[in-house]
Amino acid sequence: MKLTAKIKLLPNEEEKQALLDTLKTANAACNKISSYAWENKDFRQFNIHKGTYYSIKNSFSLSSQVIVRCIAKVADSYKLNRRTQRTFKPFKAIAYDSRIIRYKLPENSPGRRAVSIWTVNGRKTIAYVVCLHHQKLLQYQKGETDLAYIKGNFYLLATCEVPEQTPIAASDVLGVDLGLVNIVTDDTGQSFQGKELNDLRKKREKIRGSLQRKGTRGAKKVLKRISGRERTTTRIVNHTIAKKLVEKAKVEQKAICPGGEPLEELKGIRDRTNKRLRKSQKGLHNRCGSPPGSFYQLRQFIAYKAQREGIPLLFAPPAYTSQTCSGCHHVGKRNGEAFKCTNCGYNDHADTNAAKNIRSWGRTIVTRPEESTARRTALSCNYIPIVGHVCQV
Ligand SMILES: [Zn+2]
């Protein structure tokens, strides 16, 4: 599976200038390539290459590999639509071919983490820092690397082809309910860090309210900083939750089944669920880094971690999971955090009850192998491939 390792470069002044010059030159080349494509109304990569390669090679001091990546980038940018001419800002990220970038890992160059990278001012060997997790990914580095300039820092986003484990033959399922109050609850009633994060959000919501009323430039600046921090916190919490869940499933040799629609259908969820929420929940709901935006991220994390560990993944359809009694399947009504069945008298925390329902749904799939392949395909609840994943440095 493809994952992305994020690396922070530590260039000195001279190296920094070289990297900036490289970005500037490459993006200027992209603009020239783009105007060729636009003027000739020819957007196929092959034709753009034929029409521009030599003139770019002669007028810009760029390596052939970088030119090829620039042409690909321009051709790509016109795929969405061809109504306007694409232009590229001077410091936009550019892609590096694996031939012009080389990672020196501590194993083969003891004591020094550095990357040898082509720039317009010659090859540079630049020191970098990387978190332990991404350092492990780097040993599988394969293919393209993006050089990005973000808020005054340089990052490399390296594509890594990480091996997957053979999926285990699970005969049981770990049902997982994703809720607004307890972010994650499994079918054993264990909940994973919901309260702290929600408390923090509520607190920030309050600060945000007073800052918005103020409306000054300084206030806006603080607002931006808060939302950035909130995204980072959510990201870390989601990574932790996903990791714990996948570990639990692995120890118990179970498949994981988070409630909710398969990943690709989640994007529109914000508009649909908003109608059903109380006013007090809406702020929590729509904020960047809050559910369901953060649910999408959490599910992505669960999906790729499960895939890497060979844990089968199913997505349970969300209908009635929180309103059905897990004891007798009578459809009742949840009352806040409590679920009480009016038919059999079963009593449980509403999220745990939902997780139990999700588990029994999942079990019908994993315990009936003769049906499972067809049903998995029909419900698109097989692995969802994750294109790229970046976590905070
Ligand atoms: Zn019941």
Side-chain angles (χ1 to χ4, degrees):
M1 67 192 302
K2 277 199 172 83
L3 297 175
T4 310
K6 190 176 182 183
I7 293 146
K8 188 179 182 182
L9 292 178
L10 304 171
N12 60 29
E13 274 312 309
E14 184 218 334
E15 290 161 348
K16 190 176 175 185
Q17 201 49 53
L19 292 173
L20 286 174
D21 289 347
T22 307
L23 285 182
K24 245 194 240 170
T25 315
N27 282 304
C30 283
N31 282 328
K32 194 150 183 218
I33 297 164
S34 176
S35 42
Y36 169 88
W38 181 251
E39 277 154 23
N40 292 284
K41 292 279 173 280
D42 193 349
F43 304 101
R44 282 183 53 205
Q45 189 173 335
F46 179 81
N47 296 348
I48 299 175
H49 188 109
K50 228 167 84 186
T52 58
Y53 181 83
Y54 285 104
S55 73
I56 297 290
K57 183 91 192 150
N58 293 332
S59 45
F60 293 87
S61 53
L62 287 170
S63 118
S64 335
Q65 258 93 39
V66 173
I67 299 175
V68 171
R69 295 324 317 159
C70 286
I71 292 168
K73 182 171 150 179
V74 173
D76 234 27
S77 72
Y78 280 106
K79 274 186 186 147
L80 193 63
N81 72 62
R82 294 164 178 185
R83 287 194 292 269
T84 49
Q85 181 178 349
R86 297 284 184 275
T87 53
F88 299 85
K89 288 186 182 149
F91 299 121
K92 250 194 120 82
I94 60 163
Y96 271 88
D97 193 276
S98 58
R99 274 165 287 189
I100 47 174
I101 193 160
R102 222 175 5 260
Y103 296 92
K104 295 182 178 172
L105 301 168
E107 298 94 72
N108 50 32
S109 59
R112 183 164 155 81
R113 269 195 210 100
V115 56
S116 160
I117 182 169
W118 179 92
T119 76
V120 284
N121 305 341
R123 214 174 233 287
K124 305 276 176 206
T125 303
I126 301 173
Y128 67 83
V129 278
V130 64
C131 73
L132 200 65
H133 173 62
H134 283 203
Q135 189 189 316
K136 281 186 201 148
L137 289 184
L138 264 188
Q139 58 181 314
Y140 305 113
Q141 205 280 317
K142 202 177 170 189
E144 264 182 32
T145 293
D146 280 352
L147 170 67
Y149 186 57
I150 307 163
K151 291 181 187 164
N153 289 310
F154 283 98
Y155 296 93
L156 292 175
L157 304 169
T159 314
C160 304
E161 193 66 58
V162 183
E164 288 165 36
Q165 296 202 15
T166 349
I168 59 162
S171 56
D172 202 346
V173 171
L174 184 67
V176 181
D177 179 60
L178 309 180
L180 284 178
V181 182
N182 292 307
I183 295 183
V184 175
T185 313
D186 71 15
D187 59 50
T188 61
Q190 187 182 352
S191 76
F192 298 79
Q193 279 182 322
K195 201 173 170 303
E196 294 88 346
L197 195 63
N198 266 341
D199 286 351
L200 196 73
R201 275 189 194 132
K202 272 186 195 146
K203 208 173 115 190
R204 291 204 175 131
E205 196 71 17
K206 245 184 176 170
I207 302 173
R208 196 176 279 122
S210 73
L211 285 170
Q212 266 160 356
R213 277 192 297 279
K214 225 172 170 186
T216 58
R217 256 179 74 192
K220 274 179 195 154
K221 241 173 143 178
V222 180
L223 272 170
K224 211 174 157 189
R225 202 165 61 215
I226 292 179
S227 73
R229 262 189 222 158
E230 190 167 320
R231 264 199 301 277
T232 312
T233 319
T234 308
R235 198 172 189 99
I236 294 167
V237 170
N238 280 345
H239 265 303
T240 318
I241 294 173
K243 193 179 163 198
K244 281 187 188 160
L245 278 171
V246 172
E247 266 169 13
K248 186 166 181 176
K250 203 177 179 187
V251 169
E252 297 176 3
Q253 293 282 293
K254 288 176 177 173
I256 283 193
C257 185
E261 291 131 292
L263 279 170
E264 52 276 285
E265 290 163 28
L266 258 171
K267 279 174 190 149
I269 201 173
R270 203 166 283 203
D271 317 313
R272 277 180 285 130
T273 50
N274 236 349
K275 290 175 195 133
R276 291 194 260 117
L277 288 172
R278 286 196 305 271
K279 206 180 164 199
S280 64
Q281 283 183 329
K282 277 192 184 171
L284 275 177
H285 198 61
N286 281 347
R287 190 69 50 203
C288 221
S290 301
S294 70
F295 283 173
Y296 182 74
Q297 186 185 59
L298 177 59
R299 261 177 251 229
Q300 266 195 322
F301 288 177
I302 295 174
Y304 94 83
K305 285 182 207 285
Q307 190 177 355
R308 202 172 48 184
E309 296 297 326
I311 304 297
L313 182 76
L314 313 157
F315 284 99
Y320 304 116
T321 50
S322 62
Q323 292 159 34
T324 306
C325 168
S326 62
C328 70
H329 306 300
H330 180 81
V331 177
K333 221 177 170 186
R334 70 177 280 176
N335 192 3
E337 288 199 7
F339 180 88
K340 193 168 187 302
C341 178
T342 47
N343 187 39
C344 71
Y346 173 80
N347 238 321
D348 208 339
H349 191 286
D351 294 338
T352 313
N353 177 57
K356 282 182 177 165
N357 284 324
I358 292 165
R359 176 182 175 225
S360 33
W361 180 88
R363 275 168 65 99
T364 59
I365 287 183
V366 296
T367 54
R368 286 189 219 156
E370 70 281 2
E371 281 179 36
S372 64
T373 319
R375 284 187 76 181
R376 274 180 209 182
T377 323
L379 295 159
S380 68
C381 54
N382 222 328
Y383 289 139
I384 312 290
I386 304 297
V387 186
H389 147 72
V390 178
C391 89
Q392 217 70 32
V393 173

